[in-house]
Amino acid sequence: MPDASSDLSALPQAAPGVPIRVDRSDPAVARVILDRAGRKNALTLAMWTALGDVFEALAEAPEVRAVILSGAGGVFCAGADISEFGQARSDAASGKVYSAAVERANLAIRDCPKATYAAISGPAMGGGCGLALCCDFRFADATAVFSIPAARLGVVYAATETAALVATVGAEAAKDILFTGRRLDADEAQARGLVTALAQDAMAAALAHAALLRENAPMTIAGAKATLRALAGAPEPGAMAEALDWQRRALLSEDYRNAVEAFAGKRRPEFHGR
């Protein structure tokens, strides 16, 4: 197994100086760490941009089966760094650029063909909650706290994150969370469906679940994600075509041929995503 630092040039990383780390000590499970603990991992424009870059790169890495997003210092993410709004979102033009970076990051996570996880300790607020919602699974420990305080800031929560919230907790619970801006502790978040599972160690729980995917077919997972998006309440244009394309690619894949041969030979198949 290669060391995480053995060839950093070959691994997707954030731009120099941007506090996001990518741990690839396990080639099959990439760990993306928000590393701005002194500011509770609040996201700057540069960090939003880097998240889009990193997840898009990991989506193309054939050896990666799962991606786990977490925050340093016992905090997942306090949301966007409001202190830079006076400059980064000072007018309509800059606000459009900022919103586009946020949208790209969230879509890169949501549409990643790998299984994606949020390992959550401490606050997951605003944009940080949105990042977690765009992941396939959310594992949290007892310190986790969730909130979307958009109503307290005079902004409207973006459509991608709102759609993810509704898909996760339902329309009525989404209204409660968005209208009130109140905080949900870990127990209530789990009861609402916002958390997949509570664990003493959120990262360990995410890693344990990701381990279940190691011997499964990557194309099946990617195709299932695309199909589920296509079957969502308000599917995006082209979503079903993408799902059908994954079905076609899987049927023609080397993985499928090998799995059929392995079944006939009564042995365990090996999958390589091609």
Side-chain angles (χ1 to χ4, degrees), residues 10-99:
L11 306 178
Q13 296 285 335
V18 179
I20 295 176
R21 292 185 288 113
V22 182
D23 182 344
R24 291 289 306 280
S25 53
D26 180 347
V29 181
R31 295 170 58 180
V32 179
I33 303 114
L34 306 177
D35 196 13
R36 200 183 181 213
R39 296 298 300 272
K40 297 184 178 179
N41 299 318
L43 295 159
T44 62
L45 176 57
M47 292 172 73
W48 284 115
T49 301
L51 277 174
D53 293 341
V54 166
F55 272 86
E56 287 177 0
L58 290 172
E60 300 299 323
E63 71 280 10
V64 174
R65 301 298 180 90
V67 184
I68 302 176
L69 178 64
S70 65
V75 174
F76 182 69
C77 177
D81 186 350
I82 299 173
S83 69
E84 73 167 5
F85 278 13
Q87 180 177 357
R89 297 180 69 176
S90 59
D91 53 28
S94 60
K96 184 176 181 179
V97 170
Y98 191 98
S99 296

Side-chain angles (χ1 to χ4, degrees), residues 133-144:
L133 286 164
C134 287
C135 291
D136 298 315
F137 305 102
R138 289 158 296 282
F139 289 89
D141 64 28
T143 69

Side-chain angles (χ1 to χ4, degrees), residues 20-272:
I20 295 176
R21 292 185 288 113
V22 182
D23 182 344
R24 291 289 306 280
S25 53
D26 180 347
V29 181
R31 295 170 58 180
V32 179
I33 303 114
L34 306 177
D35 196 13
R36 200 183 181 213
R39 296 298 300 272
K40 297 184 178 179
N41 299 318
L43 295 159
T44 62
L45 176 57
M47 292 172 73
W48 284 115
T49 301
L51 277 174
D53 293 341
V54 166
F55 272 86
E56 287 177 0
L58 290 172
E60 300 299 323
E63 71 280 10
V64 174
R65 301 298 180 90
V67 184
I68 302 176
L69 178 64
S70 65
V75 174
F76 182 69
C77 177
D81 186 350
I82 299 173
S83 69
E84 73 167 5
F85 278 13
Q87 180 177 357
R89 297 180 69 176
S90 59
D91 53 28
S94 60
K96 184 176 181 179
V97 170
Y98 191 98
S99 296
V102 175
E103 178 79 352
R104 174 173 170 253
N106 282 313
L107 288 177
I109 296 171
R110 188 200 71 177
D111 297 345
C112 181
K114 323 294 182 175
T116 55
Y117 297 79
I120 304 163
S121 297
M125 304 293 187
C129 187
L131 290 178
L133 286 164
C134 287
C135 291
D136 298 315
F137 305 102
R138 289 158 296 282
F139 289 89
D141 64 28
T143 69
V145 181
F146 299 83
S147 177
I148 300 175
R152 300 176 185 272
L153 297 172
V155 297
V156 177
Y157 208 50
T160 296
E161 296 96 308
T162 300
L165 178 65
V166 173
T168 302
V169 304
E172 186 172 348
K175 290 176 184 178
D176 175 39
I177 291 169
L178 290 171
F179 292 3
T180 67
R182 66 185 183 85
R183 297 189 175 199
L184 284 68
D185 63 19
D187 288 331
E188 183 178 5
Q190 184 185 34
R192 292 278 195 170
L194 190 57
V195 169
T196 304
L198 291 177
Q200 185 173 357
D201 185 327
M203 177 59 71
L207 288 168
H209 193 279
L212 300 175
L213 313 182
R214 286 179 182 272
E215 297 181 355
N216 291 346
M219 283 190 175
T220 297
I221 293 170
K225 290 186 67 167
T227 302
L228 288 166
R229 285 197 302 274
L231 296 174
E236 298 171 359
M240 186 56 73
E242 181 185 358
L244 292 173
D245 184 58
W246 274 111
Q247 291 180 33
R248 179 190 61 80
R249 290 168 61 184
L251 186 62
L252 299 176
S253 70
E254 179 183 320
D255 278 353
Y256 175 68
R257 293 194 301 272
N258 290 341
V260 171
E261 292 172 3
F263 180 82
K266 297 182 179 181
R267 55 183 171 81
R268 184 182 295 276
E270 293 184 4
F271 297 108
H272 303 284

